[in-house]
Amino acid sequence: SVIYLGSDEAIEKNNRIYLPIANDEELELSMARSISPDGKVIELSKGDINTAEGEDGDIIHYYAFKGLEIGSIVEFLYVQLNPAEYLGNRIIMQDDMVQLNVGFEIISPWNLVFAYKGLNGFGEMVVDTNNKDINHLTKHFDVIKKYNDESRSFFKINAMQVVYKLDENLYNNKKDVVSYSEMANYIITANTSGEKSDQKVVSKWLKESGVKNQSTEEAKIMTYEKYLKNNIAIMDISADELKDLSFVQSNKITNPLGFIKAMAIACNELGIEYEIVMTSNRSNLLF
């Protein structure tokens, strides 16, 4: 990326360039430099990367530029190898500054076909047919306009963006590889059955909650839910052990998925029909 600093605001925003290093990931390539209006160049390399502890305890990695002034140019480049996001990913293209000469590509083996949907002015991608061994979609923008924020509007759903996912595997002729139906099957399997140990824990909770003293399905499930919420803390934390109901029983803590699992297994045992509903936060992503 190349950023021209035409204001004090731009200098303040770009005197640090944060790098996407997390969970002990490594950058394949990383370099940066600043160029002053009179042509003075200060180069930075991987050895100049600084670290700091973020509010959530994570380690933040960044380049820090010194001596920036109006008219300076900041350039940075990094290459990072990550697992393929074939289950579905979203790239937000717009920012609060004008961007020039922006490219986006999806490259995959010949047999893996990706589907995409451009939103809010992204448009269509071009199919590159020069290499038959790969599937190659490209998109280039000479200019991406600054995102003009509005009071009470939601940036993440209104900014230019593209979503993509693996759609076909030509090797085995499978279509709609990643879909809502596939996700629904996964959610049902992961959150409504559980292991024998999970079922044993739920049976104990049902007995202790006094569900059997209730005469209607509504009263039974409300009594059980109240028992769980009075005895187990529900934290919005992503951790596999919080879905292990034996762990939950011992530590009195779970997360939303663990709570859904505890409710679903109880409904199975009580013979109560139920549905699991998928939705999204409308300030972040339209369903």
Side-chain angles (χ1 to χ4, degrees):
S1 293
V2 180
I3 303 173
Y4 174 76
L5 307 180
S7 66
D8 291 332
E9 179 185 5
I11 292 174
E12 183 178 355
K13 180 180 178 182
N14 295 286
N15 59 11
R16 286 189 177 189
I17 299 297
Y18 294 93
L19 301 170
I21 307 175
N23 300 323
D24 298 323
E25 295 172 346
E26 290 288 340
L27 294 176
E28 291 288 307
L29 174 67
S30 178
M31 60 180 69
R33 69 178 182 177
S34 64
I35 305 173
S36 67
D38 61 5
K40 182 181 178 181
V41 178
I42 300 177
E43 295 188 351
L44 303 175
S45 63
K46 289 180 70 173
D48 298 305
I49 295 176
N50 299 288
T51 60
E53 185 173 337
E55 294 181 359
D56 55 3
D58 291 340
I59 301 300
I60 300 171
H61 300 76
Y62 64 93
Y63 284 119
F65 295 96
K66 297 180 180 179
L68 298 178
E69 52 188 303
I70 293 178
S72 292
I73 294 174
V74 168
E75 300 179 340
F76 64 95
L77 168 70
Y78 61 81
V79 177
Q80 183 179 27
L81 299 180
N82 293 317
E85 296 284 357
Y86 69 91
L87 291 178
N89 195 22
R90 173 172 63 155
I91 304 296
I92 296 179
M93 306 296 293
Q94 266 183 313
D95 199 349
D96 59 358
M97 298 186 69
V98 175
Q99 301 175 67
L100 305 177
N101 192 24
V102 178
F104 175 73
E105 301 176 71
I106 300 175
I107 304 172
S108 62
W110 69 268
N111 60 302
L112 300 181
V113 179
F114 278 76
Y116 73 93
K117 183 176 181 62
L119 302 170
N120 305 325
F122 179 86
E124 301 294 324
M125 299 187 72
V126 176
V127 180
D128 181 358
T129 59
N130 292 324
N131 188 341
K132 301 298 182 181
D133 294 329
I134 62 172
N135 290 308
H136 189 192
L137 297 172
T138 66
K139 182 68 177 180
H140 179 266
F141 298 92
D142 292 329
V143 179
I144 295 181
K145 295 180 180 180
K146 171 183 176 180
Y147 178 80
N148 294 315
D149 198 11
E150 298 179 12
S151 176
R152 299 184 180 180
S153 68
F154 298 132
F155 164 73
K156 286 189 174 181
I157 63 173
N158 291 312
M160 179 195 293
Q161 56 196 275
V162 59
V163 293
Y164 64 90
K165 58 130 185 177
L166 179 61
D167 193 51
E168 293 184 56
N169 186 345
L170 301 179
Y171 187 80
N172 57 14
N173 293 319
K174 185 175 182 180
K175 296 184 178 182
D176 205 20
V177 174
V178 178
S179 64
Y180 279 117
S181 61
E182 292 281 341
M183 183 57 66
N185 288 333
Y186 167 76
I187 289 175
I188 290 171
T189 302
N191 298 300
T192 67
S193 54
E195 306 294 333
K196 287 185 177 180
S197 58
D198 295 322
Q199 296 169 3
K200 183 177 180 180
V201 170
V202 170
S203 295
K204 182 178 179 182
W205 285 339
L206 287 170
K207 183 177 180 180
E208 292 176 350
S209 66
V211 163
K212 293 183 178 180
N213 297 327
Q214 306 300 321
S215 58
T216 67
E217 289 186 347
E218 182 179 7
K220 288 178 180 179
I221 204 64
M222 290 180 68
T223 298
Y224 177 69
E225 180 183 9
K226 182 178 180 180
Y227 169 83
L228 290 183
K229 290 182 175 179
N230 285 339
N231 289 276
I232 298 171
I234 304 171
M235 307 296 291
D236 193 11
I237 302 172
S238 179
D240 288 341
E241 59 266 25
L242 297 183
K243 290 178 58 181
D244 179 347
L245 298 188
S246 295
F247 177 91
V248 173
Q249 182 185 35
S250 299
N251 295 274
K252 308 299 181 184
I253 184 173
T254 188
N255 60 14
L257 290 178
F259 187 80
I260 290 173
K261 186 177 182 180
M263 294 295 293
I265 294 175
C267 287
N268 292 339
E269 186 161 329
L270 295 171
I272 297 175
E273 292 187 3
Y274 61 92
E275 293 180 346
I276 293 179
V277 180
M278 292 189 294
T279 185
S280 61
N281 183 336
R282 65 190 178 98
S283 68
N284 180 58
L285 182 68
L286 295 178
F287 188 74

